[in-house]
Amino acid sequence: GALSIRTIDKHSFRVGDHDIGSLGRKSRALVCYLAITETGEETRDRLVGLLWSETEEERARASLRQSLYEIREAFDAAGYDGLTSDRFRIGLDRSRIDVDLWNILDDAVAGIPHPILLQSERPIEKLLDEFETLDGAFQVWLAAKRQAIGDRLTRQFELLLRNDTKPL
């Protein structure tokens, strides 16, 4: 089945009717990070640097391995086998995930405001807000990611408005 990931406001992972709620905080952040990257994958070095930047490298790598084990166990129990990893990279099969953020961006391109954008003020500021204090490096990355996504949405809707208001 497909893995459904909610990254804005209340975070959740689901495969069909199966809610995956047993993951630790860094494991959840790791899955969300992979879900919102353009490629759906990242190097182990980058992930260690983002999620365990203040930890000695050997311990950080062991923590990453433990998180991967925890994620794989939870995904296997839910019937999702789209997590990939090798000695250098970790990824999610982008063809088998449904991510609210990507749906918002796709709707914006289609000229449709996604319901999440209409439910609260500044919803992009709630992107992965549960993980804001996880690690200093992650916090810096998250601030930049929110800004980039907000700018992307603004440009898209401005473009749609300009095209819609051209004189005949």
Side-chain angles (χ1 to χ4, degrees):
L3 175 65
S4 177
I5 302 172
R6 182 156 183 165
T7 60
I8 296 177
D9 210 9
K10 183 170 171 39
H11 310 100
S12 65
F13 309 113
R14 299 182 75 69
V15 176
D17 291 335
H18 188 89
D19 185 32
I20 303 172
S22 61
L23 296 176
R25 194 166 172 231
K26 289 210 179 183
S27 295
R28 291 191 319 268
L30 173 59
V31 171
C32 285
Y33 175 87
L34 292 172
I36 67 172
T37 61
E38 296 293 327
T39 62
E41 67 176 23
E42 190 57 82
T43 65
R44 286 179 180 257
D45 288 342
R46 172 88 168 135
L47 293 169
V48 164
L50 276 175
L51 297 169
W52 292 277
S53 69
E54 299 165 9
T55 305
E56 186 263 338
E57 186 169 348
E58 190 174 315
R59 269 189 56 213
R61 289 187 179 281
S63 295
L64 175 60
R65 285 191 300 275
Q66 179 60 39
S67 283
L68 285 172
Y69 176 80
E70 179 184 26
I71 293 165
R72 192 165 274 115
E73 288 289 308
F75 283 1
D76 286 348
Y80 179 75
D81 63 355
L83 177 69
T84 60
S85 64
D86 60 27
R87 294 184 65 206
F88 304 104
R89 302 190 76 73
I90 298 167
L92 290 174
D93 181 350
R94 288 286 307 264
S95 69
R96 297 183 48 219
I97 61 175
D98 178 51
V99 183
D100 61 349
L101 179 62
W102 294 117
N103 295 334
I104 289 168
L105 294 169
D106 289 345
D107 283 359
V109 169
I112 304 165
H114 193 279
I116 290 174
L117 294 178
L118 303 174
Q119 290 172 353
S120 67
E121 197 171 312
R122 301 176 191 231
I124 299 305
E125 289 180 14
K126 296 178 183 174
L127 177 69
L128 306 183
D129 61 350
E130 172 185 349
F131 310 120
E132 221 160 359
T133 60
L134 192 66
D135 187 284
F138 193 84
Q139 186 176 27
V140 169
W141 170 82
L142 182 56
K145 188 69 170 179
R146 286 175 181 161
Q147 183 68 47
I149 290 166
D151 291 350
R152 185 172 168 184
L153 284 169
T154 299
R155 279 192 309 274
Q156 185 59 44
F157 285 123
E158 285 175 347
L159 178 65
L160 290 167
L161 286 171
R162 271 194 299 270
N163 290 340
D164 195 41
T165 58
K166 287 188 177 180
L168 298 175

